[in-house]
Amino acid sequence: MQSKPNFRDVFFVSDGTAITSETLGHAVLGQFDITTRQTTLPFVESIERANSVKQQINQAYEKTGTEPLVFYSIVLPEVKAVIEQSSAHFYDVLNALVAPLSEDLQMAPQPQLQRSHSIAKDAASYQDRIAAIEYTLAHDDGVSLNNLDQADIILLGVSRCGKTPTCLYLAMQFGIRAVNYPFIAEDMSKLRLPKAIEPFRYKTYGLTIDTERLVEIRHERYANSHYASVDQCESELGKVEAMFRREAIPYLNTSRLSVEEIATRLLDISGLKRRMC
């Protein structure tokens, strides 16, 4: 089967989690108008696993007749050599930076498998991240407004505007303790900042979203419901945004932003430091 002109299989391959390969690969691919079928293959740490990956890449080539794109980050030369025997185009995301850095530092790199992923190197930061995740889950969706003094950030907004995934991303990626509180239909008649949050408005931010996008998201959950109607979504958003302005709560429109972009923008406007756990 021949592939379509603007279609490519894309593989993100790594001897670690493959997060680096995915992140850099997505950033580069976003510059081109192509359709992709993406496969992530983490923890390619052995010759046996590398041969399996090579077979998978070659099968994609045989099926489409077009060489896949492979973004990879492999430290061990013998494992990398097997991957590079595949029928594909290769982009070594690690060496793209290591080689010029080695030249600038006048120092040879010392490859070491999973050096950047060792929990033992910083047990305290790992435990901080676990604690942040537990705190965030305990304060998700307005379940609890206790211990807000321990929160790093508090997010407000209507239901389904992106609060929960953003909070979990902040906790898991950066060890940030995040609280989110939803304004529901019953809140709209007397909408105000919750009393428990009042003392912590300095770390409180709002999320909003376009009406059309909110209708689409709610419709996926509760099709043809009043909850997902245009009138209801428009009314809730208008009242909540008015409250944000009245209370001087900074807010962000999430309609065209990924969770990663929402989190990054919140870190920027709040001044919170990224804790790379």
Side-chain angles (χ1 to χ4, degrees), residues 105-120:
L105 293 175
Q106 293 295 295
M107 181 184 298
Q110 299 178 358
Q112 182 176 325
L113 192 63
Q114 292 189 2
R115 172 180 288 171
S116 63
H117 301 292
S118 173
I119 291 174

Side-chain angles (χ1 to χ4, degrees), residues 12-53:
F12 303 109
V13 183
S14 175
D15 51 26
T17 62
I19 290 175
T20 300
S21 297
E22 283 185 316
T23 301
L24 294 178
H26 287 157
V28 174
L29 289 169
Q31 309 302 309
F32 300 92
D33 183 19
I34 61 172
T35 301
T36 63
R37 176 170 56 207
Q38 302 181 7
T39 303
T40 300
L41 300 168
F43 305 116
V44 184
E45 303 170 322
S46 65
I47 298 295
E48 180 181 12
R49 170 76 165 144
N51 277 314
S52 175
V53 169

Side-chain angles (χ1 to χ4, degrees), residues 1-3 60-67:
M1 180 184 73
Q2 294 297 312
S3 64
Y61 171 59
E62 292 167 5
K63 185 176 181 179
T64 65
T66 303
E67 292 179 313

